[in-house]
Amino acid sequence: MQAVTLGPAGTYSHRAASAVADDVEFRESVASIVDAVADGEFRRGVVPIENSIEGSVTESLDSLAEREVSVVGELITPIRHALVAQGESFDAVASHSQALAQCRTYLEENYPDVSLEAVASTARGVERARDDPHVAGIAHPDTAGSDLRVLAEDIQDRSSNATRFLVVAPVEERSEAGGKTSLIVYPNANYPGLLLELLEAFAERDINLSRIESRPSGNRLGDYLFHIDFEAGLYEERAKEAVADVEEIAKNGWVRRLGSYDTRHVLY
Protein backbone atom coordinates (compact mmCIF):
# COMPACT_ATOMS: atom_id res chain seq x y z
CA MET A 1 0.00 0.00 0.00
CA GLN A 2 1.13 3.54 -0.78
CA ALA A 3 0.67 6.45 1.59
CA VAL A 4 1.09 10.16 0.97
CA THR A 5 2.21 12.73 3.51
CA LEU A 6 4.11 15.98 3.94
CA GLY A 7 7.54 15.92 2.36
CA PRO A 8 10.31 15.79 1.58
CA ALA A 9 11.75 12.63 3.10
CA GLY A 10 12.72 12.99 6.73
CA THR A 11 9.76 14.98 8.05
CA TYR A 12 7.97 13.89 11.21
CA SER A 13 5.00 13.17 8.96
CA HIS A 14 7.22 10.83 6.92
CA ARG A 15 8.19 8.96 10.09
CA ALA A 16 4.55 8.60 11.10
CA ALA A 17 3.49 7.50 7.60
CA SER A 18 6.19 4.81 7.60
CA ALA A 19 4.14 3.05 10.28
CA VAL A 20 1.25 2.87 7.80
CA ALA A 21 2.96 1.95 4.52
CA ASP A 22 6.41 0.96 3.26
CA ASP A 23 5.96 3.08 0.14
CA VAL A 24 5.52 6.75 1.07
CA GLU A 25 5.08 9.59 -1.41
CA PHE A 26 5.15 13.29 -0.62
CA ARG A 27 3.19 16.48 -1.13
CA GLU A 28 3.94 20.05 -0.06
CA SER A 29 0.65 20.81 1.71
CA VAL A 30 -2.00 19.08 3.81
CA ALA A 31 -4.69 20.17 1.35
CA SER A 32 -2.94 18.36 -1.52
CA ILE A 33 -2.65 15.19 0.62
CA VAL A 34 -6.37 15.17 1.41
CA ASP A 35 -7.17 15.95 -2.23
CA ALA A 36 -4.99 13.04 -3.42
CA VAL A 37 -6.86 10.60 -1.16
CA ALA A 38 -10.30 12.01 -1.98
CA ASP A 39 -9.56 11.76 -5.71
CA GLY A 40 -8.48 8.11 -5.41
CA GLU A 41 -4.81 8.66 -6.17
CA PHE A 42 -3.76 7.14 -2.82
CA ARG A 43 -5.49 4.78 -0.41
CA ARG A 44 -3.89 6.38 2.64
CA GLY A 45 -2.79 9.84 3.65
CA VAL A 46 -1.18 10.91 6.93
CA VAL A 47 -1.75 14.46 8.16
CA PRO A 48 -0.80 16.21 11.41
CA ILE A 49 -3.86 17.29 13.36
CA GLU A 50 -2.67 18.41 16.80
CA ASN A 51 0.51 19.14 18.74
CA SER A 52 0.71 19.01 22.52
CA ILE A 53 2.43 22.42 22.66
CA GLU A 54 1.07 24.43 19.75
CA GLY A 55 -2.41 22.92 19.50
CA SER A 56 -4.41 22.10 16.40
CA VAL A 57 -3.13 22.26 12.83
CA THR A 58 -5.77 24.45 11.24
CA GLU A 59 -4.85 23.54 7.65
CA SER A 60 -5.69 19.92 8.45
CA LEU A 61 -8.99 20.84 10.11
CA ASP A 62 -10.04 22.95 7.13
CA SER A 63 -8.95 20.36 4.55
CA LEU A 64 -10.98 17.61 6.24
CA ALA A 65 -14.02 19.88 6.16
CA GLU A 66 -13.61 20.67 2.46
CA ARG A 67 -13.25 17.14 1.00
CA GLU A 68 -15.07 13.85 1.58
CA VAL A 69 -12.63 11.39 3.17
CA SER A 70 -12.66 9.04 6.15
CA VAL A 71 -10.36 8.70 9.14
CA VAL A 72 -9.21 5.12 9.75
CA GLY A 73 -6.47 5.57 12.33
CA GLU A 74 -4.67 7.85 14.74
CA LEU A 75 -0.90 7.93 15.27
CA ILE A 76 0.73 9.66 18.22
CA THR A 77 4.46 10.29 17.97
CA PRO A 78 6.93 11.99 20.31
CA ILE A 79 8.65 15.02 18.79
CA ARG A 80 12.41 15.38 19.34
CA HIS A 81 13.79 18.58 17.88
CA ALA A 82 17.49 19.16 17.26
CA LEU A 83 19.42 22.15 15.96
CA VAL A 84 21.49 21.12 12.92
CA ALA A 85 23.90 23.19 10.85
CA GLN A 86 27.19 23.06 8.98
CA GLY A 87 28.91 24.94 11.80
CA GLU A 88 28.30 26.78 15.03
CA SER A 89 27.90 30.20 13.40
CA PHE A 90 24.72 31.03 11.45
CA ASP A 91 22.40 33.95 10.84
CA ALA A 92 19.03 32.22 10.43
CA VAL A 93 17.12 29.15 11.61
CA ALA A 94 14.76 27.52 9.12
CA SER A 95 12.04 25.00 9.92
CA HIS A 96 8.30 24.47 9.86
CA SER A 97 6.43 27.24 11.68
CA GLN A 98 5.19 24.77 14.30
CA ALA A 99 8.72 23.52 15.01
CA LEU A 100 9.98 27.09 15.38
CA ALA A 101 7.16 27.82 17.82
CA GLN A 102 7.81 24.63 19.78
CA CYS A 103 11.44 25.72 20.31
CA ARG A 104 10.73 29.40 20.96
CA THR A 105 12.21 29.54 24.46
CA TYR A 106 15.42 27.75 23.48
CA LEU A 107 15.97 30.03 20.50
CA GLU A 108 15.25 33.21 22.46
CA GLU A 109 17.67 32.21 25.21
CA ASN A 110 20.52 30.90 23.04
CA TYR A 111 20.16 32.65 19.67
CA PRO A 112 18.24 35.90 20.30
CA ASP A 113 19.75 37.66 17.27
CA VAL A 114 19.16 35.07 14.54
CA SER A 115 16.24 35.44 12.17
CA LEU A 116 13.58 32.73 11.93
CA GLU A 117 12.53 31.40 8.54
CA ALA A 118 9.31 29.39 8.24
CA VAL A 119 9.44 26.76 5.47
CA ALA A 120 7.06 24.01 4.33
CA SER A 121 8.48 21.29 6.60
CA THR A 122 11.27 20.46 9.03
CA ALA A 123 12.98 18.54 6.23
CA ARG A 124 12.95 21.67 4.06
CA GLY A 125 14.73 23.46 6.89
CA VAL A 126 17.42 20.77 6.87
CA GLU A 127 17.77 21.22 3.11
CA ARG A 128 18.28 24.95 3.65
CA ALA A 129 21.01 24.18 6.20
CA ARG A 130 22.74 21.85 3.73
CA ASP A 131 22.62 24.46 0.98
CA ASP A 132 23.66 27.48 3.05
CA PRO A 133 26.32 27.51 5.81
CA HIS A 134 24.64 30.60 7.29
CA VAL A 135 21.38 28.73 7.97
CA ALA A 136 20.58 26.17 10.68
CA GLY A 137 17.62 23.82 10.69
CA ILE A 138 15.34 22.35 13.36
CA ALA A 139 14.34 18.73 12.83
CA HIS A 140 14.76 15.22 14.20
CA PRO A 141 18.48 14.62 14.95
CA ASP A 142 18.64 11.69 12.51
CA THR A 143 18.06 14.07 9.59
CA ALA A 144 21.52 15.62 10.06
CA GLY A 145 23.18 12.73 8.24
CA SER A 146 26.92 12.88 7.75
CA ASP A 147 27.14 16.41 6.34
CA LEU A 148 25.53 18.44 9.15
CA ARG A 149 26.41 18.79 12.81
CA VAL A 150 23.89 18.27 15.59
CA LEU A 151 24.52 21.35 17.73
CA ALA A 152 21.86 20.59 20.35
CA GLU A 153 19.21 17.92 20.93
CA ASP A 154 15.79 17.94 22.59
CA ILE A 155 15.47 21.71 22.27
CA GLN A 156 11.65 21.72 22.32
CA ASP A 157 10.21 23.86 25.11
CA ARG A 158 8.54 20.88 26.78
CA SER A 159 9.83 17.33 27.07
CA SER A 160 6.29 15.98 26.63
CA ASN A 161 6.08 17.33 23.08
CA ALA A 162 4.05 14.97 20.87
CA THR A 163 2.07 15.24 17.67
CA ARG A 164 -1.15 13.48 16.76
CA PHE A 165 -1.58 12.40 13.14
CA LEU A 166 -4.71 11.16 11.40
CA VAL A 167 -4.68 8.43 8.79
CA VAL A 168 -7.16 9.38 6.09
CA ALA A 169 -8.65 7.03 3.51
CA PRO A 170 -11.30 7.11 0.76
CA VAL A 171 -14.77 7.76 2.14
CA GLU A 172 -15.97 4.24 1.32
CA GLU A 173 -13.48 2.83 3.86
CA ARG A 174 -15.12 4.67 6.75
CA SER A 175 -15.63 2.32 9.70
CA GLU A 176 -17.85 2.27 12.78
CA ALA A 177 -15.35 0.06 14.66
CA GLY A 178 -12.81 1.64 16.98
CA GLY A 179 -12.46 3.31 20.32
CA LYS A 180 -12.56 6.89 19.08
CA THR A 181 -14.70 8.82 16.59
CA SER A 182 -14.35 12.11 14.71
CA LEU A 183 -17.21 14.27 13.44
CA ILE A 184 -17.46 17.60 11.67
CA VAL A 185 -20.67 19.47 12.46
CA TYR A 186 -21.99 22.49 10.58
CA PRO A 187 -25.20 23.61 12.35
CA ASN A 188 -25.89 26.48 9.92
CA ALA A 189 -27.48 28.20 12.93
CA ASN A 190 -26.60 30.64 15.67
CA TYR A 191 -28.70 30.96 18.82
CA PRO A 192 -28.16 30.96 22.60
CA GLY A 193 -27.50 27.45 23.88
CA LEU A 194 -26.52 25.90 20.53
CA LEU A 195 -23.12 24.70 21.73
CA LEU A 196 -24.64 23.51 25.02
CA GLU A 197 -27.13 21.37 23.09
CA LEU A 198 -24.29 19.76 21.12
CA LEU A 199 -22.35 19.02 24.30
CA GLU A 200 -25.38 17.65 26.13
CA ALA A 201 -25.92 15.04 23.41
CA PHE A 202 -22.69 13.40 24.60
CA ALA A 203 -22.73 14.29 28.31
CA GLU A 204 -26.17 12.75 28.82
CA ARG A 205 -24.80 9.43 27.52
CA ASP A 206 -21.56 9.53 29.51
CA ILE A 207 -19.43 9.95 26.37
CA ASN A 208 -16.18 11.84 26.90
CA LEU A 209 -15.24 14.49 24.36
CA SER A 210 -11.48 14.45 23.79
CA ARG A 211 -11.57 17.56 21.60
CA ILE A 212 -14.01 20.14 20.29
CA GLU A 213 -12.87 23.04 18.16
CA SER A 214 -14.62 25.67 16.08
CA ARG A 215 -13.45 26.86 12.67
CA PRO A 216 -14.93 29.54 10.42
CA SER A 217 -17.30 28.02 7.88
CA GLY A 218 -16.15 30.40 5.16
CA ASN A 219 -19.75 31.20 4.31
CA ARG A 220 -20.14 34.39 6.35
CA LEU A 221 -18.57 36.24 9.26
CA GLY A 222 -19.43 34.71 12.63
CA ASP A 223 -20.54 31.39 11.11
CA TYR A 224 -18.74 28.31 12.42
CA LEU A 225 -18.44 24.56 12.11
CA PHE A 226 -17.23 22.24 14.87
CA HIS A 227 -14.65 19.46 14.87
CA ILE A 228 -15.59 16.93 17.55
CA ASP A 229 -13.62 13.89 18.75
CA PHE A 230 -15.22 11.57 21.28
CA GLU A 231 -14.16 8.40 23.04
CA ALA A 232 -16.62 5.84 21.73
CA GLY A 233 -17.12 3.90 18.51
CA LEU A 234 -20.01 4.50 16.15
CA TYR A 235 -20.98 0.86 16.60
CA GLU A 236 -22.04 1.65 20.19
CA GLU A 237 -25.70 2.37 20.77
CA ARG A 238 -24.94 5.40 22.95
CA ALA A 239 -22.77 6.87 20.19
CA LYS A 240 -25.49 6.28 17.59
CA GLU A 241 -28.00 8.07 19.79
CA ALA A 242 -25.66 11.00 20.46
CA VAL A 243 -24.88 11.47 16.77
CA ALA A 244 -28.58 11.25 15.90
CA ASP A 245 -29.23 14.10 18.36
CA VAL A 246 -26.40 16.13 16.83
CA GLU A 247 -27.81 15.56 13.35
CA GLU A 248 -31.19 16.81 14.52
CA ILE A 249 -29.59 19.93 16.02
CA ALA A 250 -27.73 20.50 12.74
CA LYS A 251 -30.71 19.70 10.49
CA ASN A 252 -30.31 23.03 8.67
CA GLY A 253 -26.66 22.23 8.00
CA TRP A 254 -24.77 18.93 7.89
CA VAL A 255 -22.83 16.39 9.93
CA ARG A 256 -19.86 14.53 8.48
CA ARG A 257 -18.98 11.23 10.14
CA LEU A 258 -15.26 10.83 9.50
CA GLY A 259 -15.39 7.42 11.15
CA SER A 260 -14.27 5.42 14.16
CA TYR A 261 -10.68 4.25 14.62
CA ASP A 262 -8.04 3.11 17.10
CA THR A 263 -4.88 4.85 18.32
CA ARG A 264 -1.29 3.69 17.83
CA HIS A 265 1.79 5.13 19.52
CA VAL A 266 4.76 5.32 17.15
CA LEU A 267 8.14 5.61 18.84
CA TYR A 268 11.41 6.49 17.12
Side-chain angles (χ1 to χ4, degrees):
M1 181 187 298
Q2 278 191 324
V4 59
T5 194
L6 288 172
T11 62
Y12 288 98
S13 294
H14 181 198
R15 292 171 177 273
S18 296
V20 175
D22 294 328
D23 187 1
V24 179
E25 299 292 326
F26 304 106
R27 294 290 186 273
E28 290 293 325
S29 69
V30 170
S32 61
I33 294 168
V34 174
D35 286 345
V37 174
D39 293 338
E41 186 179 353
F42 291 90
R43 287 182 57 197
R44 295 292 184 270
V46 176
V47 298
I49 196 73
E50 185 178 13
N51 177 262
S52 60
I53 296 177
E54 287 302 303
S56 296
V57 181
T58 55
E59 184 186 6
S60 296
L61 296 177
D62 294 343
S63 296
L64 291 173
E66 290 168 1
R67 296 300 306 269
E68 285 276 3
V69 293
S70 64
V71 174
V72 296
E74 175 183 75
L75 305 171
I76 297 177
T77 69
I79 301 299
R80 293 185 54 220
H81 287 316
L83 185 68
V84 300
Q86 295 184 32
E88 294 186 359
S89 178
F90 47 85
D91 303 319
V93 177
S95 193
H96 190 277
S97 58
Q98 285 247 342
L100 293 173
Q102 291 161 21
C103 302
R104 184 182 296 113
T105 300
Y106 173 85
L107 293 172
E108 289 176 351
E109 291 179 352
N110 294 275
Y111 299 96
D113 298 325
V114 302
S115 61
L116 304 182
E117 179 183 337
V119 292
S121 66
T122 55
R124 289 291 182 211
V126 174
E127 289 182 351
R128 290 278 290 115
R130 284 198 171 95
D131 293 339
D132 190 338
H134 301 292
V135 176
I138 291 178
H140 191 280
D142 289 351
T143 61
S146 60
D147 51 349
L148 292 176
R149 295 173 58 186
V150 177
L151 302 181
E153 293 190 44
D154 295 320
I155 64 172
Q156 59 273 6
D157 292 346
R158 299 180 188 175
S159 59
S160 60
N161 191 11
T163 293
R164 174 182 171 231
F165 295 86
L166 293 182
V167 182
V168 297
V171 68
E172 61 268 18
E173 293 193 41
R174 183 177 58 213
S175 173
E176 294 189 349
K180 195 171 184 179
T181 298
S182 289
L183 305 176
I184 305 176
V185 181
Y186 176 53
N188 193 24
N190 185 13
Y191 55 84
L194 169 61
L195 181 57
L196 178 61
E197 289 181 10
L198 292 173
L199 298 177
E200 284 179 337
F202 300 96
E204 290 173 352
R205 295 170 176 87
D206 198 30
I207 298 174
N208 186 49
L209 296 184
S210 55
R211 185 175 64 92
I212 180 167
E213 185 156 355
S214 62
R215 290 291 298 157
S217 69
N219 294 331
R220 55 188 178 272
L221 188 64
D223 191 44
Y224 295 93
L225 52 80
F226 299 95
H227 291 259
I228 298 174
D229 295 338
F230 62 87
E231 295 177 354
L234 286 171
Y235 68 92
E236 299 181 49
E237 192 61 36
R238 59 177 182 154
K240 293 178 181 177
E241 292 175 357
V243 173
D245 280 2
V246 169
E247 289 175 332
E248 177 61 26
I249 294 167
K251 61 184 177 182
N252 293 327
W254 48 263
V255 175
R256 182 170 299 162
R257 305 182 185 202
L258 293 176
S260 299
Y261 50 86
D262 290 321
T263 300
R264 294 173 56 191
H265 290 264
V266 181
L267 304 178
Y268 47 76

